[in-house]
Amino acid sequence: MGWAIALHGGAGDIPLSLPPERRHPREEALRHCLQIGVEALKAKLPPLDVVERVVRELENIPQFNAGKGSVLTSNGTVEMEASIMDGTTMDCGAVSGLTTVVNAISLARLVMEKTPHIYLAFDGAEEFARQQGVETLDSSHFITAENIERLKQAKEANRVQIDYTQPIQNDTKKETAIANGDSQIGTVGCVAVDGNGNLASATSTGGLVNKMVGRIGDTPLIGAGTYADARCAVSATGKGEAIIRGTVARDVAALMEFKGLSLEEAATCVVHERTPKGTLGLIAVSAKGEVAMPYNTTGMFRACATEDGYSEVAIWPSAKID
């Protein structure tokens, strides 16, 4: 048994031709955030603090679809959501429909710790943020030029668009391949376990490009996009509706609890046998310090490290970066 950590920056149809200017900043961000998590675990911080700290940092990096980099609704607005769960206590908190909160994951934790509830959304969540004195900024802070362009592309094609989709070309075959794509890329998450087997999970996102106003995905739903108990901690990324239908994060834990599967077996079963291809990736750690990062999409921005010295940053299969 030893500490372990894993984080993701989204899974989906990430093209191998992803331009270096879009790939490299994300790779460096994963390395940076992984190091933050590793240092926190080495300093004996509780896993709940670790996952919040890492996801806060990911939310502040505009290359990912969370916080500063959140994609836009059909009205050109941001609606951010997040959830966090402590595997030791089973306490959890979630938020949706945020438009001014800088770090949605920290507000989710405040919901968990400062209210009798689990989930606050939209005006109620924003009012709670003001009451708690968390950092807020005008919604224009979260709207990037890149995401304005993504929304423009999505509206022109009349679709809910994949985050990493390249600008529309006069190429019928290419257009057909991506026209029905759901925006499943860029959600961020972190799972961690300390040397005593305590677990925690956190996930944050801006949702879908060109999503309907008011749409809620899997990220803030405990048991779907986020889950942690005494056996494992899981954070999912992918097509939210598919993840919700499959109660993906809880399913990993349930297979371990009721069928006695290992973390790797359970995570692989959920991703490759129970969920449609092209819809899901997840990161998970077990109380024993094991790590699993399976996905059934083209790729997943991911990173992990364990106490025995192993570390990995990768995007595609057999494409370990360091």
Side-chain angles (χ1 to χ4, degrees):
M1 182 181 291
W3 61 256
I5 184 171
L7 54 139
H8 70 73
D13 186 19
I14 306 171
L16 293 172
S17 60
L18 188 68
E21 66 271 17
R22 301 192 74 190
R23 186 180 77 246
H24 292 159
R26 290 175 170 90
E27 293 170 351
E28 288 305 313
L30 289 174
R31 276 193 203 89
H32 168 67
C33 292
L34 181 64
Q35 187 58 35
I36 287 174
V38 167
E39 290 175 357
L41 284 166
K42 287 181 176 179
K44 307 297 185 183
L45 267 66
L48 192 69
D49 291 351
V50 174
V51 297
E52 180 190 7
R53 180 174 294 193
V54 170
V55 170
R56 278 180 63 94
E57 189 68 15
L58 287 164
E59 289 174 334
N60 294 336
I61 297 170
Q63 284 80 17
F64 293 114
N65 176 16
K68 172 66 174 172
S70 293
V71 297
L72 306 181
T73 70
S74 57
N75 283 1
T77 57
V78 293
E79 291 184 352
M80 300 170 284
E81 50 194 23
S83 66
I84 191 167
M85 188 164 187
D86 184 336
T88 301
T89 63
M90 302 289 285
D91 289 338
C92 49
V95 289
S96 283
L98 302 180
T99 59
T100 67
V101 176
V102 173
N103 293 112
I105 196 64
S106 292
L107 189 64
R109 183 169 181 179
L110 286 170
V111 171
M112 178 182 81
E113 295 179 340
K114 302 294 185 180
T115 81
H117 309 303
I118 289 174
Y119 197 163
L120 293 179
F122 297 94
D123 291 348
E126 287 281 341
E127 175 60 27
F128 177 66
R130 290 189 288 271
Q131 292 172 358
Q132 294 298 311
V134 304
E135 184 179 7
T136 60
L137 291 171
D138 186 83
S139 59
S140 61
H141 164 79
F142 305 96
I143 299 175
T144 66
E146 186 176 21
N147 283 330
I148 291 172
E149 180 60 26
R150 284 196 184 106
L151 179 61
K152 180 173 179 286
Q153 293 171 22
K155 286 183 173 292
E156 288 174 352
N158 191 29
R159 68 186 181 205
V160 178
Q161 182 173 295
I162 296 173
D163 181 26
Y164 294 141
T165 299
Q166 300 303 298
I168 298 167
Q169 306 292 329
N170 293 322
D171 182 334
T172 303
K173 291 183 178 178
K174 183 175 182 180
E175 176 63 23
T176 301
I178 60 178
N180 295 319
D182 208 1
S183 175
Q184 70 264 41
I185 316 297
T187 293
V188 302
C190 181
V191 292
V193 60
D194 65 15
N196 296 316
N198 300 304
L199 293 141
S201 176
T203 315
S204 182
T205 190
L208 310 181
V209 183
N210 200 27
K211 67 181 180 181
M212 293 176 64
V213 171
R215 180 264 185 184
I216 292 172
D218 67 287
T219 293
L221 301 184
I222 300 301
T226 301
Y227 190 74
D229 62 11
R231 294 169 183 81
C232 66
V234 183
S235 174
T237 174
K239 294 186 178 180
E241 284 67 21
I243 294 171
I244 293 168
R245 291 186 192 103
T247 58
V248 161
R250 169 58 183 158
D251 255 19
V252 175
L255 287 169
M256 295 179 70
E257 180 177 0
F258 299 118
K259 294 195 72 174
L261 300 188
S262 69
L263 178 73
E264 184 69 32
E265 290 169 339
T268 299
C269 177
V270 169
V271 170
H272 294 291
E273 298 178 25
R274 299 190 174 208
T275 313
K277 183 175 176 59
T279 62
L280 170 66
L282 65 81
I283 55 171
V285 293
S286 75
K288 298 177 181 178
E290 302 159 317
V291 177
M293 301 190 293
Y295 53 95
N296 63 23
T297 54
T298 304
M300 178 170 71
F301 282 97
R302 62 198 188 275
C304 72
T306 58
E307 189 169 353
D308 63 10
Y310 180 80
S311 67
E312 175 182 348
V313 177
I315 307 171
W316 299 285
S318 303
K320 183 179 174 182
I321 297 163
D322 56 280

